[in-house]
């Protein structure tokens, strides 16, 4: 055998060994679209539909999903075992922080295991009694120059159109805005926000968020998007939403046809776990992508949910299959009631370091920490530079080998 072929084969074997652990994991951890998971989802969906006396047609209707949200521990107990103390605890927590889940998201849960990632993101636990942390670590109150607007950067800003969400995630970093009840901004407030955008010519990029802006009717969303598109300084419009995850029925053909009239529109979604990438969620993403809307994912690192290198790799690789680019991974903020989801930056960096080399760059988002008091995003990067001076730089490769480069003489 040629020497070069022999070396290549040895290297291929070495690389194969690097991915063995993930390959083994994939064999033991079915995706949400694998038969064992879809069978459970379908079975649980039938149970929930029978309880709510619903038809398939109603299940597919996002307004029905919203109207039939489950927010009562007694109703949950129809599907899962909770002791009377658990039920009491859920009621006590819900007086402090709202909770509700769509029937759809409930059908993805494990009815036998409250520690399952999907359950933990949706159902209150006694861990939320912890009082450490802040309600507004981003200091959004003080970055609000006009109605609905949060401005933290020179040439872009956020418009918050509603405090409503399809589900009230237990890890929510914006609990302060989600508040006690669903409140949507008035047209007058939206007009004030659009006027602010128009009068500040440097604003070229507007993110519509909430709560979840997809709680608005198509008509109201079109009013906002159309108003922004009419501002000659606005180059791109982005929508931040978790609806493709928690209520994918919202992504209708009609909605996509409306939105694609106002390109360039981008959408950032928040998938936190591969088991959220169900058949319905993938269908919603496909519909949006087919309407020409580039999709990005903004995962949040959450202890007990995705603080695992293989879970993150599996999520990101399957997001790409669903035509969603992993865009950011956010470090969790110190929001009161979410201490149990807290991770350290070291833990986050170790997962990011693993991803480099073990998956393609397309599947590696930027790891971001939002600085307290609205000071902006800070990228968190593993330091691959071992030493450097005017003449050379010594670096660490993804495998931990050393690479050295000498610059051309100046
Ligand atoms: S959808 Fe977003 S804003 Fe709404 S509760 Fe979940 S994390 Fe919070």
């Amino acid at each position: 055998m040629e020497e070069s072929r022999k070396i290549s084969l040895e290297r291929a074997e070495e690389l194969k060994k690097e991915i063995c652990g993930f390959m083994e994991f994939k064999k033991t951890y079915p995706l949400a679209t694998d038969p064992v998971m879809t069978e459970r989802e379908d079975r649980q969906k039938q149970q929930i539909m029978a309880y709510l006396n619903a038809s398939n047609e109603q299940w597919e209707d996002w307004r029905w999903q919203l109207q039939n949200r489950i927010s009562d521990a007694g109703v949950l107990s129809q599907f899962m075992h909770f002791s009377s103390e658990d039920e009491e605890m859920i009621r006590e927590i819900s007086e402090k922080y709202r909770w509700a889940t769509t029937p759809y998201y409930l059908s993805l849960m494990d009815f036998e295991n409250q520690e399952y990632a999907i359950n933990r993101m949706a159902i209150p636990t006694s861990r939320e009694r912890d009082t450490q942390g802040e309600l507004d670590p981003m200091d959004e109150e003080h970055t609000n120059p006009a109605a609905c607007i949060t401005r933290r950067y020179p040439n872009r800003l956020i418009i918050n159109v509603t405090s409503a969400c399809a589900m009230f995630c237990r890890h929510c970093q914006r609990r302060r805005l989600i508040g006690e009840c669903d409140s949507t901004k008035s047209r007058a407030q939206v007009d004030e926000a659009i006027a602010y955008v128009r009068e500040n010519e440097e604003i070229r990029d507007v993110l519509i968020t909430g709560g979840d802006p997809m709680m608005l009717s198509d008509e109201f969303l079109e009013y906002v998007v159309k108003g922004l598109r009419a501002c000659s300084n606005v180059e791109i419009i982005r929508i931040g939403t978790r609806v493709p995850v928690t209520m994918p029925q919202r992504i209708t053909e009609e909605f996509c046809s409306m939105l694609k009239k106002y390109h360039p529109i981008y959408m950032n979604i928040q998938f936190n776990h591969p088991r959220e990438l169900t058949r319905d969620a993938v269908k919603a993403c496909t519909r949006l992508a087919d309407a020409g809307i580039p999709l990005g994912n903004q995962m949040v690192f959450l202890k007990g949910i995705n603080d695992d290198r293989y879970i993150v790799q599996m999520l990101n690789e399957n997001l790409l299959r669903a035509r969603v680019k992993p865009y950011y991974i956010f470090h969790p903020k110190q929001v009161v009631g979410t201490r149990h989801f807290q991770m350290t930056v070291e833990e986050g960096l170790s997962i990011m370091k693993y991803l480099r080399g073990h998956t393609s760059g397309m599947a590696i988002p930027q790891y971001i920490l939002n600085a307290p008091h609205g000071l902006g995003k800070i990228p968190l990067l593993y330091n691959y530079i071992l030493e450097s001076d005017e003449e050379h730089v010594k670096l660490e490769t993804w495998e931990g080998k050393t690479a050295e480069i000498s610059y051309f003489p100046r």
Side-chain angles (χ1 to χ4, degrees), residues 1 5 31 45 60 120 125 158 195 207 212 217 222 231 265 274-275 301 313 331 333 355 366 380 399:
M1 197 189 301
R5 173 58 56 86
L31 295 170
K45 173 182 164 182
E60 294 305 324
R120 288 194 63 192
T125 66
I158 290 172
L207 170 64
D212 198 316
S217 65
E222 181 164 20
C231 301
I265 304 255
R275 291 276 171 81
F301 263 141
Q313 182 171 3
H331 190 77
K333 300 176 194 119
L355 291 180
Q366 239 191 339
L380 300 171
E399 290 168 283

Side-chain angles (χ1 to χ4, degrees), residues 165 167-169 172 178 211 242 270:
C165 288
M167 179 178 108
F168 301 111
C169 312
C172 183
I178 305 311
R242 192 157 145 76
Q270 186 202 124

Side-chain angles (χ1 to χ4, degrees), residues 163-175 178 209-212 241-243 246 270 272 300:
S163 70
C165 288
M167 179 178 108
F168 301 111
C169 312
R170 306 327 297 160
H171 55 273
C172 183
Q173 315 272 291
R174 317 191 93 184
R175 289 189 157 189
I178 305 311
T209 182
D212 198 316
T241 176
R242 192 157 145 76
V243 140
T246 56
Q270 186 202 124
N272 292 322
V300 187

Side-chain angles (χ1 to χ4, degrees), residues 13-108:
E13 269 315 300
E14 221 176 275
L15 293 171
K16 215 174 159 81
K17 278 195 195 115
E18 280 288 339
I19 204 70
C20 273
F22 182 59
M23 295 304 289
E24 281 307 309
F25 172 77
K26 283 215 293 190
K27 283 182 200 149
T28 57
Y29 200 87
L31 295 170
T33 46
D34 286 344
V36 60
M37 299 311 299
T38 56
E39 277 160 26
R40 183 175 83 177
E41 186 190 332
D42 291 342
R43 190 174 61 246
Q44 295 183 168
K45 173 182 164 182
Q46 292 305 326
Q47 271 176 266
I48 301 165
M49 278 171 49
Y51 177 80
L52 296 171
N53 199 17
S55 64
N56 256 320
E57 200 183 330
Q58 286 174 313
W59 184 272
E60 294 305 324
D61 177 351
W62 69 276
R63 293 186 186 279
W64 179 91
Q65 287 281 338
L66 259 191
Q67 280 155 8
N68 287 277
R69 282 190 304 193
I70 290 124
S71 57
D72 180 85
V75 177
L76 266 192
S77 291
Q78 302 296 318
F79 307 103
M80 316 176 176
H81 173 72
F82 285 111
S83 65
S84 50
E85 289 80 27
D86 289 337
E87 281 192 28
E88 201 34 55
M89 173 275 296
I90 293 175
R91 287 198 185 100
E92 173 210 313
I93 300 288
S94 62
E95 276 169 27
K96 204 164 172 194
Y97 310 116
R98 298 175 85 189
W99 84 275
T101 175
T102 54
Y104 162 78
Y105 203 79
L106 175 61
S107 74
L108 312 185

Side-chain angles (χ1 to χ4, degrees), residues 223-243:
Y223 181 80
V224 181
V225 172
K226 197 174 178 178
L228 288 170
R229 192 38 79 224
C231 301
S232 57
N233 49 319
V234 173
E235 294 168 15
I236 63 166
I237 300 170
R238 293 185 280 163
I239 296 177
T241 176
R242 192 157 145 76
V243 140

